PDB file of all heavy atoms in Angstrom:
ATOM      1  N   ASN C   1       0.828  -1.172   0.017  1.00 98.00           N
ATOM      2  CA  ASN C   1      -0.036   0.007  -0.018  1.00 98.00           C
ATOM      3  C   ASN C   1       0.892   1.276   0.000  1.00 98.00           C
ATOM      4  O   ASN C   1       1.909   1.288   0.743  1.00 98.00           O
ATOM      5  CB  ASN C   1      -0.861  -0.009   1.268  1.00 98.00           C
ATOM      6  CG  ASN C   1      -1.861   1.175   1.311  1.00 98.00           C
ATOM      7  OD1 ASN C   1      -2.668   1.305   0.385  1.00 98.00           O
ATOM      8  ND2 ASN C   1      -1.750   2.020   2.295  1.00 98.00           N
ATOM      9  N   PRO C   2       0.584   2.242  -0.857  1.00 98.00           N
ATOM     10  CA  PRO C   2      -0.576   2.329  -1.754  1.00 98.00           C
ATOM     11  C   PRO C   2      -0.351   1.620  -3.076  1.00 98.00           C
ATOM     12  O   PRO C   2       0.767   1.232  -3.395  1.00 98.00           O
ATOM     13  CB  PRO C   2      -0.667   3.872  -1.968  1.00 98.00           C
ATOM     14  CG  PRO C   2       0.716   4.294  -1.872  1.00 98.00           C
ATOM     15  CD  PRO C   2       1.357   3.500  -0.798  1.00 98.00           C
ATOM     16  N   GLY C   3      -1.392   1.456  -3.814  1.00 98.00           N
ATOM     17  CA  GLY C   3      -1.360   0.919  -5.174  1.00 98.00           C
ATOM     18  C   GLY C   3      -1.775  -0.537  -5.297  1.00 98.00           C
ATOM     19  O   GLY C   3      -2.013  -1.008  -6.378  1.00 98.00           O
ATOM     20  N   ARG C   4      -1.717  -1.278  -4.210  1.00 98.00           N
ATOM     21  CA  ARG C   4      -2.030  -2.694  -4.201  1.00 98.00           C
ATOM     22  C   ARG C   4      -1.119  -3.482  -5.163  1.00 98.00           C
ATOM     23  O   ARG C   4      -1.523  -4.417  -5.879  1.00 98.00           O
ATOM     24  CB  ARG C   4      -3.507  -2.933  -4.572  1.00 98.00           C
ATOM     25  CG  ARG C   4      -3.998  -4.326  -4.124  1.00 98.00           C
ATOM     26  CD  ARG C   4      -5.504  -4.480  -4.290  1.00 98.00           C
ATOM     27  NE  ARG C   4      -5.891  -5.751  -3.668  1.00 98.00           N
ATOM     28  CZ  ARG C   4      -7.126  -6.137  -3.513  1.00 98.00           C
ATOM     29  NH1 ARG C   4      -8.149  -5.360  -3.933  1.00 98.00           N
ATOM     30  NH2 ARG C   4      -7.421  -7.292  -2.964  1.00 98.00           N
ATOM     31  N   HIS C   5       0.155  -3.125  -5.122  1.00 98.00           N
ATOM     32  CA  HIS C   5       1.194  -3.827  -5.942  1.00 98.00           C
ATOM     33  C   HIS C   5       1.943  -4.823  -5.135  1.00 98.00           C
ATOM     34  O   HIS C   5       1.609  -5.086  -3.957  1.00 98.00           O
ATOM     35  CB  HIS C   5       2.064  -2.787  -6.581  1.00 98.00           C
ATOM     36  CG  HIS C   5       1.393  -1.820  -7.468  1.00 98.00           C
ATOM     37  ND1 HIS C   5       0.518  -2.162  -8.443  1.00 98.00           N
ATOM     38  CD2 HIS C   5       1.435  -0.433  -7.511  1.00 98.00           C
ATOM     39  CE1 HIS C   5       0.068  -1.115  -9.088  1.00 98.00           C
ATOM     40  NE2 HIS C   5       0.592  -0.047  -8.507  1.00 98.00           N
ATOM     41  N   GLU C   6       3.006  -5.372  -5.692  1.00 98.00           N
ATOM     42  CA  GLU C   6       3.803  -6.413  -5.019  1.00 98.00           C
ATOM     43  C   GLU C   6       4.544  -5.824  -3.797  1.00 98.00           C
ATOM     44  O   GLU C   6       4.760  -4.623  -3.697  1.00 98.00           O
ATOM     45  CB  GLU C   6       4.797  -7.047  -5.990  1.00 98.00           C
ATOM     46  CG  GLU C   6       5.642  -6.043  -6.734  1.00 98.00           C
ATOM     47  CD  GLU C   6       5.049  -5.785  -8.129  1.00 98.00           C
ATOM     48  OE1 GLU C   6       4.024  -5.100  -8.207  1.00 98.00           O
ATOM     49  OE2 GLU C   6       5.622  -6.227  -9.107  1.00 98.00           O
ATOM     50  N   PRO C   7       4.894  -6.699  -2.832  1.00 98.00           N
ATOM     51  CA  PRO C   7       5.707  -6.295  -1.687  1.00 98.00           C
ATOM     52  C   PRO C   7       6.956  -5.552  -2.129  1.00 98.00           C
ATOM     53  O   PRO C   7       7.597  -5.923  -3.151  1.00 98.00           O
ATOM     54  CB  PRO C   7       6.073  -7.595  -0.997  1.00 98.00           C
ATOM     55  CG  PRO C   7       4.883  -8.524  -1.336  1.00 98.00           C
ATOM     56  CD  PRO C   7       4.585  -8.154  -2.758  1.00 98.00           C
ATOM     57  N   GLY C   8       7.322  -4.513  -1.385  1.00 98.00           N
ATOM     58  CA  GLY C   8       8.473  -3.723  -1.693  1.00 98.00           C
ATOM     59  C   GLY C   8       8.193  -2.468  -2.508  1.00 98.00           C
ATOM     60  O   GLY C   8       9.060  -1.667  -2.770  1.00 98.00           O
ATOM     61  N   THR C   9       6.910  -2.270  -2.875  1.00 98.00           N
ATOM     62  CA  THR C   9       6.533  -1.131  -3.687  1.00 98.00           C
ATOM     63  C   THR C   9       5.868  -0.030  -2.833  1.00 98.00           C
ATOM     64  O   THR C   9       5.516   1.030  -3.326  1.00 98.00           O
ATOM     65  CB  THR C   9       5.620  -1.507  -4.813  1.00 98.00           C
ATOM     66  OG1 THR C   9       4.424  -2.101  -4.278  1.00 98.00           O
ATOM     67  CG2 THR C   9       6.304  -2.444  -5.771  1.00 98.00           C
ATOM     68  N   GLY C  10       5.681  -0.290  -1.541  1.00 98.00           N
ATOM     69  CA  GLY C  10       4.939   0.649  -0.718  1.00 98.00           C
ATOM     70  C   GLY C  10       5.416   0.704   0.724  1.00 98.00           C
ATOM     71  O   GLY C  10       6.569   0.454   0.965  1.00 98.00           O
ATOM     72  N   GLU C  11       4.542   0.986   1.649  1.00 98.00           N
ATOM     73  CA  GLU C  11       4.874   1.343   3.002  1.00 98.00           C
ATOM     74  C   GLU C  11       5.003   0.153   3.923  1.00 98.00           C
ATOM     75  O   GLU C  11       5.506   0.284   5.059  1.00 98.00           O
ATOM     76  CB  GLU C  11       3.823   2.315   3.577  1.00 98.00           C
ATOM     77  CG  GLU C  11       2.455   1.669   3.749  1.00 98.00           C
ATOM     78  CD  GLU C  11       1.370   2.702   4.143  1.00 98.00           C
ATOM     79  OE1 GLU C  11       1.697   3.866   4.304  1.00 98.00           O
ATOM     80  OE2 GLU C  11       0.195   2.287   4.240  1.00 98.00           O
ATOM     81  N   ILE C  12       4.540  -1.035   3.577  1.00 98.00           N
ATOM     82  CA  ILE C  12       4.547  -2.167   4.487  1.00 98.00           C
ATOM     83  C   ILE C  12       5.886  -2.844   4.513  1.00 98.00           C
ATOM     84  O   ILE C  12       6.438  -3.178   3.462  1.00 98.00           O
ATOM     85  CB  ILE C  12       3.421  -3.156   4.128  1.00 98.00           C
ATOM     86  CG1 ILE C  12       2.029  -2.489   4.132  1.00 98.00           C
ATOM     87  CG2 ILE C  12       3.448  -4.376   5.056  1.00 98.00           C
ATOM     88  CD1 ILE C  12       0.899  -3.374   3.616  1.00 98.00           C
ATOM     89  N   ASN C  13       6.406  -3.069   5.729  1.00 98.00           N
ATOM     90  CA  ASN C  13       7.699  -3.709   5.902  1.00 98.00           C
ATOM     91  C   ASN C  13       7.493  -5.218   5.795  1.00 98.00           C
ATOM     92  O   ASN C  13       7.440  -5.896   6.853  1.00 98.00           O
ATOM     93  CB  ASN C  13       8.338  -3.286   7.209  1.00 98.00           C
ATOM     94  CG  ASN C  13       9.756  -3.838   7.402  1.00 98.00           C
ATOM     95  OD1 ASN C  13      10.218  -4.664   6.631  1.00 98.00           O
ATOM     96  ND2 ASN C  13      10.387  -3.374   8.455  1.00 98.00           N
ATOM     97  N   TYR C  14       7.435  -5.729   4.603  1.00 98.00           N
ATOM     98  CA  TYR C  14       7.114  -7.143   4.460  1.00 98.00           C
ATOM     99  C   TYR C  14       8.194  -8.093   4.955  1.00 98.00           C
ATOM    100  O   TYR C  14       7.891  -9.127   5.539  1.00 98.00           O
ATOM    101  CB  TYR C  14       6.699  -7.462   3.018  1.00 98.00           C
ATOM    102  CG  TYR C  14       5.236  -7.305   2.781  1.00 98.00           C
ATOM    103  CD1 TYR C  14       4.689  -6.268   2.046  1.00 98.00           C
ATOM    104  CD2 TYR C  14       4.330  -8.194   3.376  1.00 98.00           C
ATOM    105  CE1 TYR C  14       3.325  -6.123   1.853  1.00 98.00           C
ATOM    106  CE2 TYR C  14       2.958  -8.113   3.188  1.00 98.00           C
ATOM    107  CZ  TYR C  14       2.449  -7.047   2.479  1.00 98.00           C
ATOM    108  OH  TYR C  14       1.092  -6.904   2.293  1.00 98.00           O
ATOM    109  N   PRO C  15       9.506  -7.807   4.743  1.00 97.00           N
ATOM    110  CA  PRO C  15      10.467  -8.741   5.326  1.00 97.00           C
ATOM    111  C   PRO C  15      10.306  -8.927   6.810  1.00 97.00           C
ATOM    112  O   PRO C  15      10.397 -10.044   7.328  1.00 97.00           O
ATOM    113  CB  PRO C  15      11.837  -8.077   4.964  1.00 97.00           C
ATOM    114  CG  PRO C  15      11.526  -7.295   3.680  1.00 97.00           C
ATOM    115  CD  PRO C  15      10.125  -6.805   3.885  1.00 97.00           C
ATOM    116  N   PHE C  16      10.060  -7.835   7.523  1.00 98.00           N
ATOM    117  CA  PHE C  16       9.827  -7.944   8.975  1.00 98.00           C
ATOM    118  C   PHE C  16       8.555  -8.802   9.252  1.00 98.00           C
ATOM    119  O   PHE C  16       8.535  -9.656  10.131  1.00 98.00           O
ATOM    120  CB  PHE C  16       9.665  -6.569   9.596  1.00 98.00           C
ATOM    121  CG  PHE C  16       9.128  -6.566  10.989  1.00 98.00           C
ATOM    122  CD1 PHE C  16       9.905  -6.894  12.087  1.00 98.00           C
ATOM    123  CD2 PHE C  16       7.765  -6.288  11.218  1.00 98.00           C
ATOM    124  CE1 PHE C  16       9.431  -6.916  13.349  1.00 98.00           C
ATOM    125  CE2 PHE C  16       7.267  -6.352  12.505  1.00 98.00           C
ATOM    126  CZ  PHE C  16       8.071  -6.664  13.563  1.00 98.00           C
ATOM    127  N   LEU C  17       7.477  -8.465   8.511  1.00 98.00           N
ATOM    128  CA  LEU C  17       6.217  -9.098   8.754  1.00 98.00           C
ATOM    129  C   LEU C  17       6.287 -10.605   8.449  1.00 98.00           C
ATOM    130  O   LEU C  17       5.761 -11.446   9.213  1.00 98.00           O
ATOM    131  CB  LEU C  17       5.121  -8.443   7.906  1.00 98.00           C
ATOM    132  CG  LEU C  17       3.693  -8.584   8.392  1.00 98.00           C
ATOM    133  CD1 LEU C  17       3.563  -8.001   9.832  1.00 98.00           C
ATOM    134  CD2 LEU C  17       2.743  -7.861   7.404  1.00 98.00           C
ATOM    135  N   PHE C  18       6.996 -10.979   7.350  1.00 98.00           N
ATOM    136  CA  PHE C  18       7.141 -12.430   7.101  1.00 98.00           C
ATOM    137  C   PHE C  18       7.907 -13.126   8.210  1.00 98.00           C
ATOM    138  O   PHE C  18       7.548 -14.255   8.564  1.00 98.00           O
ATOM    139  CB  PHE C  18       7.887 -12.608   5.724  1.00 98.00           C
ATOM    140  CG  PHE C  18       7.107 -12.155   4.532  1.00 98.00           C
ATOM    141  CD1 PHE C  18       7.790 -11.773   3.373  1.00 98.00           C
ATOM    142  CD2 PHE C  18       5.736 -12.110   4.532  1.00 98.00           C
ATOM    143  CE1 PHE C  18       7.130 -11.357   2.251  1.00 98.00           C
ATOM    144  CE2 PHE C  18       5.017 -11.707   3.386  1.00 98.00           C
ATOM    145  CZ  PHE C  18       5.703 -11.280   2.260  1.00 98.00           C
ATOM    146  N   GLY C  19       8.891 -12.421   8.755  1.00 97.00           N
ATOM    147  CA  GLY C  19       9.621 -12.991   9.831  1.00 97.00           C
ATOM    148  C   GLY C  19       8.722 -13.196  11.087  1.00 97.00           C
ATOM    149  O   GLY C  19       8.847 -14.269  11.727  1.00 97.00           O
ATOM    150  N   GLU C  20       7.845 -12.260  11.362  1.00 98.00           N
ATOM    151  CA  GLU C  20       6.932 -12.427  12.459  1.00 98.00           C
ATOM    152  C   GLU C  20       5.920 -13.495  12.227  1.00 98.00           C
ATOM    153  O   GLU C  20       5.595 -14.301  13.131  1.00 98.00           O
ATOM    154  CB  GLU C  20       6.165 -11.047  12.670  1.00 98.00           C
ATOM    155  CG  GLU C  20       7.010 -10.011  13.326  1.00 98.00           C
ATOM    156  CD  GLU C  20       7.385 -10.399  14.764  1.00 98.00           C
ATOM    157  OE1 GLU C  20       6.508 -10.444  15.613  1.00 98.00           O
ATOM    158  OE2 GLU C  20       8.580 -10.722  15.003  1.00 98.00           O
ATOM    159  N   ILE C  21       5.414 -13.612  10.993  1.00 98.00           N
ATOM    160  CA  ILE C  21       4.461 -14.691  10.650  1.00 98.00           C
ATOM    161  C   ILE C  21       5.106 -16.039  10.879  1.00 98.00           C
ATOM    162  O   ILE C  21       4.522 -16.975  11.404  1.00 98.00           O
ATOM    163  CB  ILE C  21       3.942 -14.474   9.248  1.00 98.00           C
ATOM    164  CG1 ILE C  21       3.030 -13.245   9.182  1.00 98.00           C
ATOM    165  CG2 ILE C  21       3.185 -15.714   8.756  1.00 98.00           C
ATOM    166  CD1 ILE C  21       2.664 -12.777   7.798  1.00 98.00           C
ATOM    167  N   ASP C  22       6.378 -16.125  10.446  1.00 96.00           N
ATOM    168  CA  ASP C  22       7.094 -17.388  10.607  1.00 96.00           C
ATOM    169  C   ASP C  22       7.344 -17.683  12.114  1.00 96.00           C
ATOM    170  O   ASP C  22       7.183 -18.831  12.545  1.00 96.00           O
ATOM    171  CB  ASP C  22       8.438 -17.284   9.837  1.00 96.00           C
ATOM    172  CG  ASP C  22       9.067 -18.623   9.523  1.00 96.00           C
ATOM    173  OD1 ASP C  22       8.293 -19.624   9.332  1.00 96.00           O
ATOM    174  OD2 ASP C  22      10.291 -18.723   9.472  1.00 96.00           O
ATOM    175  N   ARG C  23       7.763 -16.633  12.838  1.00 97.00           N
ATOM    176  CA  ARG C  23       8.008 -16.829  14.268  1.00 97.00           C
ATOM    177  C   ARG C  23       6.760 -17.313  15.001  1.00 97.00           C
ATOM    178  O   ARG C  23       6.862 -18.138  15.926  1.00 97.00           O
ATOM    179  CB  ARG C  23       8.521 -15.482  14.841  1.00 97.00           C
ATOM    180  CG  ARG C  23       8.890 -15.587  16.330  1.00 97.00           C
ATOM    181  CD  ARG C  23       9.261 -14.222  16.862  1.00 97.00           C
ATOM    182  NE  ARG C  23       8.184 -13.292  16.855  1.00 97.00           N
ATOM    183  CZ  ARG C  23       7.211 -13.263  17.786  1.00 97.00           C
ATOM    184  NH1 ARG C  23       7.239 -14.156  18.798  1.00 97.00           N
ATOM    185  NH2 ARG C  23       6.205 -12.400  17.745  1.00 97.00           N
ATOM    186  N   LEU C  24       5.629 -16.748  14.596  1.00 98.00           N
ATOM    187  CA  LEU C  24       4.369 -17.150  15.279  1.00 98.00           C
ATOM    188  C   LEU C  24       3.890 -18.531  14.945  1.00 98.00           C
ATOM    189  O   LEU C  24       3.051 -19.103  15.599  1.00 98.00           O
ATOM    190  CB  LEU C  24       3.277 -16.138  14.871  1.00 98.00           C
ATOM    191  CG  LEU C  24       3.411 -14.738  15.447  1.00 98.00           C
ATOM    192  CD1 LEU C  24       2.505 -13.734  14.769  1.00 98.00           C
ATOM    193  CD2 LEU C  24       3.167 -14.736  16.951  1.00 98.00           C
ATOM    194  N   GLY C  25       4.468 -19.119  13.895  1.00 97.00           N
ATOM    195  CA  GLY C  25       4.111 -20.497  13.516  1.00 97.00           C
ATOM    196  C   GLY C  25       2.917 -20.653  12.656  1.00 97.00           C
ATOM    197  O   GLY C  25       2.338 -21.729  12.632  1.00 97.00           O
ATOM    198  N   PHE C  26       2.530 -19.587  11.953  1.00 98.00           N
ATOM    199  CA  PHE C  26       1.429 -19.733  10.992  1.00 98.00           C
ATOM    200  C   PHE C  26       1.782 -20.693   9.871  1.00 98.00           C
ATOM    201  O   PHE C  26       2.806 -20.540   9.217  1.00 98.00           O
ATOM    202  CB  PHE C  26       1.090 -18.358  10.406  1.00 98.00           C
ATOM    203  CG  PHE C  26      -0.065 -18.430   9.371  1.00 98.00           C
ATOM    204  CD1 PHE C  26      -1.342 -18.716   9.757  1.00 98.00           C
ATOM    205  CD2 PHE C  26       0.250 -18.246   8.045  1.00 98.00           C
ATOM    206  CE1 PHE C  26      -2.361 -18.782   8.837  1.00 98.00           C
ATOM    207  CE2 PHE C  26      -0.793 -18.288   7.114  1.00 98.00           C
ATOM    208  CZ  PHE C  26      -2.079 -18.536   7.497  1.00 98.00           C
ATOM    209  N   ASP C  27       0.952 -21.759   9.713  1.00 96.00           N
ATOM    210  CA  ASP C  27       1.323 -22.803   8.750  1.00 96.00           C
ATOM    211  C   ASP C  27       0.425 -22.817   7.541  1.00 96.00           C
ATOM    212  O   ASP C  27       0.447 -23.773   6.728  1.00 96.00           O
ATOM    213  CB  ASP C  27       1.370 -24.186   9.415  1.00 96.00           C
ATOM    214  CG  ASP C  27      -0.011 -24.555  10.006  1.00 96.00           C
ATOM    215  OD1 ASP C  27      -0.958 -23.761   9.949  1.00 96.00           O
ATOM    216  OD2 ASP C  27      -0.110 -25.722  10.522  1.00 96.00           O
ATOM    217  N   GLY C  28      -0.412 -21.824   7.421  1.00 98.00           N
ATOM    218  CA  GLY C  28      -1.301 -21.725   6.233  1.00 98.00           C
ATOM    219  C   GLY C  28      -0.597 -21.013   5.104  1.00 98.00           C
ATOM    220  O   GLY C  28       0.622 -20.676   5.159  1.00 98.00           O
ATOM    221  N   PHE C  29      -1.377 -20.669   4.086  1.00 98.00           N
ATOM    222  CA  PHE C  29      -0.839 -20.000   2.934  1.00 98.00           C
ATOM    223  C   PHE C  29      -1.128 -18.510   2.982  1.00 98.00           C
ATOM    224  O   PHE C  29      -2.062 -18.046   3.575  1.00 98.00           O
ATOM    225  CB  PHE C  29      -1.451 -20.575   1.619  1.00 98.00           C
ATOM    226  CG  PHE C  29      -0.839 -21.901   1.241  1.00 98.00           C
ATOM    227  CD1 PHE C  29      -1.395 -23.079   1.643  1.00 98.00           C
ATOM    228  CD2 PHE C  29       0.290 -21.924   0.447  1.00 98.00           C
ATOM    229  CE1 PHE C  29      -0.826 -24.313   1.297  1.00 98.00           C
ATOM    230  CE2 PHE C  29       0.869 -23.123   0.078  1.00 98.00           C
ATOM    231  CZ  PHE C  29       0.282 -24.319   0.473  1.00 98.00           C
ATOM    232  N   ILE C  30      -0.224 -17.774   2.320  1.00 98.00           N
ATOM    233  CA  ILE C  30      -0.398 -16.323   2.095  1.00 98.00           C
ATOM    234  C   ILE C  30      -0.644 -16.089   0.595  1.00 98.00           C
ATOM    235  O   ILE C  30       0.220 -16.333  -0.220  1.00 98.00           O
ATOM    236  CB  ILE C  30       0.825 -15.517   2.570  1.00 98.00           C
ATOM    237  CG1 ILE C  30       1.157 -15.842   4.031  1.00 98.00           C
ATOM    238  CG2 ILE C  30       0.574 -14.021   2.395  1.00 98.00           C
ATOM    239  CD1 ILE C  30       2.464 -15.219   4.526  1.00 98.00           C
ATOM    240  N   GLY C  31      -1.855 -15.696   0.244  1.00 98.00           N
ATOM    241  CA  GLY C  31      -2.195 -15.443  -1.129  1.00 98.00           C
ATOM    242  C   GLY C  31      -1.678 -14.098  -1.641  1.00 98.00           C
ATOM    243  O   GLY C  31      -1.775 -13.077  -0.957  1.00 98.00           O
ATOM    244  N   CYS C  32      -1.093 -14.137  -2.810  1.00 98.00           N
ATOM    245  CA  CYS C  32      -0.500 -12.935  -3.413  1.00 98.00           C
ATOM    246  C   CYS C  32      -1.559 -12.212  -4.250  1.00 98.00           C
ATOM    247  O   CYS C  32      -1.499 -12.250  -5.461  1.00 98.00           O
ATOM    248  CB  CYS C  32       0.738 -13.294  -4.234  1.00 98.00           C
ATOM    249  SG  CYS C  32       1.968 -14.187  -3.253  1.00 98.00           S
ATOM    250  N   GLU C  33      -2.450 -11.533  -3.563  1.00 98.00           N
ATOM    251  CA  GLU C  33      -3.575 -10.871  -4.251  1.00 98.00           C
ATOM    252  C   GLU C  33      -3.208  -9.422  -4.552  1.00 98.00           C
ATOM    253  O   GLU C  33      -3.762  -8.451  -3.972  1.00 98.00           O
ATOM    254  CB  GLU C  33      -4.842 -10.982  -3.355  1.00 98.00           C
ATOM    255  CG  GLU C  33      -6.089 -10.608  -4.122  1.00 98.00           C
ATOM    256  CD  GLU C  33      -7.354 -10.622  -3.274  1.00 98.00           C
ATOM    257  OE1 GLU C  33      -7.263 -10.177  -2.125  1.00 98.00           O
ATOM    258  OE2 GLU C  33      -8.409 -11.020  -3.782  1.00 98.00           O
ATOM    259  N   TYR C  34      -2.252  -9.275  -5.407  1.00 98.00           N
ATOM    260  CA  TYR C  34      -1.799  -7.919  -5.762  1.00 98.00           C
ATOM    261  C   TYR C  34      -1.794  -7.741  -7.265  1.00 98.00           C
ATOM    262  O   TYR C  34      -1.766  -8.706  -8.029  1.00 98.00           O
ATOM    263  CB  TYR C  34      -0.394  -7.630  -5.195  1.00 98.00           C
ATOM    264  CG  TYR C  34       0.719  -8.469  -5.706  1.00 98.00           C
ATOM    265  CD1 TYR C  34       1.336  -8.225  -6.916  1.00 98.00           C
ATOM    266  CD2 TYR C  34       1.271  -9.498  -4.936  1.00 98.00           C
ATOM    267  CE1 TYR C  34       2.414  -8.978  -7.399  1.00 98.00           C
ATOM    268  CE2 TYR C  34       2.349 -10.284  -5.373  1.00 98.00           C
ATOM    269  CZ  TYR C  34       2.923  -9.980  -6.600  1.00 98.00           C
ATOM    270  OH  TYR C  34       3.951 -10.743  -7.061  1.00 98.00           O
ATOM    271  N   LYS C  35      -1.741  -6.468  -7.678  1.00 98.00           N
ATOM    272  CA  LYS C  35      -1.693  -6.105  -9.072  1.00 98.00           C
ATOM    273  C   LYS C  35      -0.225  -5.799  -9.467  1.00 98.00           C
ATOM    274  O   LYS C  35       0.316  -4.782  -8.999  1.00 98.00           O
ATOM    275  CB  LYS C  35      -2.579  -4.872  -9.330  1.00 98.00           C
ATOM    276  CG  LYS C  35      -4.036  -5.044  -9.036  1.00 98.00           C
ATOM    277  CD  LYS C  35      -4.845  -3.779  -9.284  1.00 98.00           C
ATOM    278  CE  LYS C  35      -4.500  -2.690  -8.280  1.00 98.00           C
ATOM    279  NZ  LYS C  35      -5.399  -1.497  -8.425  1.00 98.00           N
ATOM    280  N   PRO C  36       0.441  -6.665 -10.174  1.00 98.00           N
ATOM    281  CA  PRO C  36       1.813  -6.396 -10.540  1.00 98.00           C
ATOM    282  C   PRO C  36       1.978  -5.103 -11.284  1.00 98.00           C
ATOM    283  O   PRO C  36       1.134  -4.693 -12.061  1.00 98.00           O
ATOM    284  CB  PRO C  36       2.161  -7.583 -11.453  1.00 98.00           C
ATOM    285  CG  PRO C  36       1.240  -8.671 -11.098  1.00 98.00           C
ATOM    286  CD  PRO C  36      -0.034  -7.935 -10.732  1.00 98.00           C
ATOM    287  N   LYS C  37       3.038  -4.348 -10.955  1.00 97.00           N
ATOM    288  CA  LYS C  37       3.286  -3.074 -11.604  1.00 97.00           C
ATOM    289  C   LYS C  37       3.639  -3.262 -13.040  1.00 97.00           C
ATOM    290  O   LYS C  37       3.396  -2.349 -13.894  1.00 97.00           O
ATOM    291  CB  LYS C  37       4.421  -2.291 -10.893  1.00 97.00           C
ATOM    292  CG  LYS C  37       4.017  -1.844  -9.452  1.00 97.00           C
ATOM    293  CD  LYS C  37       5.018  -0.856  -8.881  1.00 97.00           C
ATOM    294  CE  LYS C  37       4.766   0.535  -9.489  1.00 97.00           C
ATOM    295  NZ  LYS C  37       5.563   1.541  -8.784  1.00 97.00           N
ATOM    296  N   GLY C  38       4.214  -4.349 -13.418  1.00 97.00           N
ATOM    297  CA  GLY C  38       4.542  -4.698 -14.798  1.00 97.00           C
ATOM    298  C   GLY C  38       4.259  -6.152 -15.055  1.00 97.00           C
ATOM    299  O   GLY C  38       3.272  -6.705 -14.519  1.00 97.00           O
ATOM    300  N   GLU C  39       5.065  -6.829 -15.870  1.00 97.00           N
ATOM    301  CA  GLU C  39       4.885  -8.233 -16.061  1.00 97.00           C
ATOM    302  C   GLU C  39       5.111  -8.948 -14.700  1.00 97.00           C
ATOM    303  O   GLU C  39       6.002  -8.613 -13.944  1.00 97.00           O
ATOM    304  CB  GLU C  39       5.924  -8.771 -17.058  1.00 97.00           C
ATOM    305  CG  GLU C  39       5.717 -10.263 -17.382  1.00 97.00           C
ATOM    306  CD  GLU C  39       6.800 -10.780 -18.331  1.00 97.00           C
ATOM    307  OE1 GLU C  39       7.985 -10.451 -18.151  1.00 97.00           O
ATOM    308  OE2 GLU C  39       6.447 -11.516 -19.258  1.00 97.00           O
ATOM    309  N   THR C  40       4.286  -9.940 -14.436  1.00 98.00           N
ATOM    310  CA  THR C  40       4.299 -10.544 -13.114  1.00 98.00           C
ATOM    311  C   THR C  40       5.669 -11.033 -12.743  1.00 98.00           C
ATOM    312  O   THR C  40       6.190 -10.759 -11.637  1.00 98.00           O
ATOM    313  CB  THR C  40       3.316 -11.733 -13.073  1.00 98.00           C
ATOM    314  OG1 THR C  40       1.993 -11.265 -13.383  1.00 98.00           O
ATOM    315  CG2 THR C  40       3.299 -12.408 -11.717  1.00 98.00           C
ATOM    316  N   GLU C  41       6.361 -11.763 -13.655  1.00 98.00           N
ATOM    317  CA  GLU C  41       7.652 -12.370 -13.306  1.00 98.00           C
ATOM    318  C   GLU C  41       8.701 -11.293 -13.009  1.00 98.00           C
ATOM    319  O   GLU C  41       9.583 -11.481 -12.169  1.00 98.00           O
ATOM    320  CB  GLU C  41       8.155 -13.274 -14.441  1.00 98.00           C
ATOM    321  CG  GLU C  41       7.407 -14.602 -14.580  1.00 98.00           C
ATOM    322  CD  GLU C  41       6.160 -14.533 -15.392  1.00 98.00           C
ATOM    323  OE1 GLU C  41       5.739 -13.364 -15.722  1.00 98.00           O
ATOM    324  OE2 GLU C  41       5.639 -15.612 -15.762  1.00 98.00           O
ATOM    325  N   ALA C  42       8.581 -10.151 -13.632  1.00 98.00           N
ATOM    326  CA  ALA C  42       9.549  -9.075 -13.441  1.00 98.00           C
ATOM    327  C   ALA C  42       9.479  -8.499 -12.048  1.00 98.00           C
ATOM    328  O   ALA C  42      10.422  -7.880 -11.552  1.00 98.00           O
ATOM    329  CB  ALA C  42       9.343  -7.976 -14.506  1.00 98.00           C
ATOM    330  N   GLY C  43       8.341  -8.665 -11.354  1.00 98.00           N
ATOM    331  CA  GLY C  43       8.182  -8.102 -10.019  1.00 98.00           C
ATOM    332  C   GLY C  43       8.267  -9.120  -8.909  1.00 98.00           C
ATOM    333  O   GLY C  43       7.798  -8.871  -7.822  1.00 98.00           O
TER     334      GLY C  43
END
């Protein structure tokens, strides 16, 4: 956020958050429901 693009394009500290999710032991999936800024693979 903003833009609803891939991690690393906005204000959310995703590396930190992924580490916290892992530390908490969440064993489900995280769906990548974002709009790629360009071709999906490039992002």
Side-chain angles (χ1 to χ4, degrees):
N1 183 60
R4 201 171 187 172
H5 300 309
E6 50 264 72
T9 59
E11 67 188 357
I12 300 174
N13 185 351
Y14 270 110
F16 167 79
L17 204 57
F18 293 155
E20 284 296 290
I21 291 168
D22 200 32
R23 182 185 65 80
L24 290 167
F26 177 69
D27 61 358
F29 282 92
I30 305 173
C32 303
E33 195 183 38
Y34 64 78
K35 299 179 290 185
K37 293 193 76 171
E39 184 183 43
T40 301
E41 287 88 347

